[in-house]
Amino acid sequence: MLNITQRLSHFHGIADDSVTLDFDTRQKARIKITTDKGNPAGIFVERGKPLVVGECLQSDCGQVIEIKGALEAVTTASTADWHTFAKVCYHLGNRHPRLQVGERWLRFKPAHVLAELVTMYQLTTDHTPAVFEPENGAYQHGGHGHHHD
């Protein structure tokens, strides 16, 4: 079993293997997984610093493992109107959900209350599975990668 314990902050090569994880799993510091090449592994990193899509880790034996984002159930809501987009962001922000924000689009895990709100403001919704990379929040630092559609 690979014992993955080190984050590589400046790796620019080709990883030996990868692991594809959903958002909730990327939040954990201790994870028993199977790599994308089928190797059993354990990830043991510091708590409080989620894994980021595109980040590379290193195992005790020197293998480099890239973190990939799994497609998961999400709602992506969009509008062409910046004013409407700003209003929706304001109202969603008051509810404190995890949100991934792009240019006039936002993404959240399926929740009927949030879906009703974006529909009320006439945003177009799409339920195609996607990688979910929400914002960290105003008082958290670092560790956020951006995945653009």
Side-chain angles (χ1 to χ4, degrees):
M1 179 167 107
L2 288 175
N3 191 29
I4 304 166
T5 58
Q6 184 179 359
R7 293 178 188 261
L8 299 177
S9 57
H10 299 292
F11 181 76
H12 298 290
I14 297 173
D16 299 302
D17 203 341
S18 59
V19 292
T20 302
L21 306 171
D22 65 15
F23 172 74
D24 291 332
T25 304
R26 293 192 313 267
Q27 305 310 296
K28 298 177 182 178
R30 307 283 184 265
I31 311 164
K32 224 175 206 184
I33 47 101
T34 301
T35 69
D36 293 337
K37 288 186 178 178
N39 299 309
I43 297 176
F44 307 96
V45 294
E46 68 276 11
R47 295 186 192 282
K49 187 176 178 191
L51 297 170
V52 178
V53 173
E55 177 178 19
C56 287
L57 308 175
Q58 189 170 32
S59 71
D60 289 348
C61 66
Q63 286 197 36
V64 175
I65 310 298
E66 180 182 359
I67 302 299
K68 294 186 175 183
L71 297 179
E72 53 190 299
V74 292
T75 299
T76 303
S78 61
T79 180
D81 181 59
W82 278 107
H83 188 248
T84 300
F85 181 70
K87 283 182 180 182
V88 170
C89 287
Y90 171 80
H91 289 295
L92 285 173
N94 279 335
R95 293 179 177 347
H96 303 283
R98 293 277 195 171
L99 290 176
Q100 181 176 353
V101 182
E103 274 195 45
R104 295 186 319 263
W105 65 266
L106 47 87
R107 181 172 291 149
F108 50 88
K109 289 193 171 197
H112 74 280
V113 173
L114 303 181
E116 287 174 13
L117 191 142
V118 299
T119 301
M120 183 175 76
Y121 280 92
Q122 300 178 341
L123 271 70
T124 302
T125 57
D126 180 3
H127 302 285
T128 303
V131 174
F132 186 51
E133 295 182 89
E135 295 294 319
N136 280 330
Y139 302 105
Q140 295 178 6
H141 301 286
H144 178 69
H146 292 278
H147 177 81
H148 299 280
D149 290 332

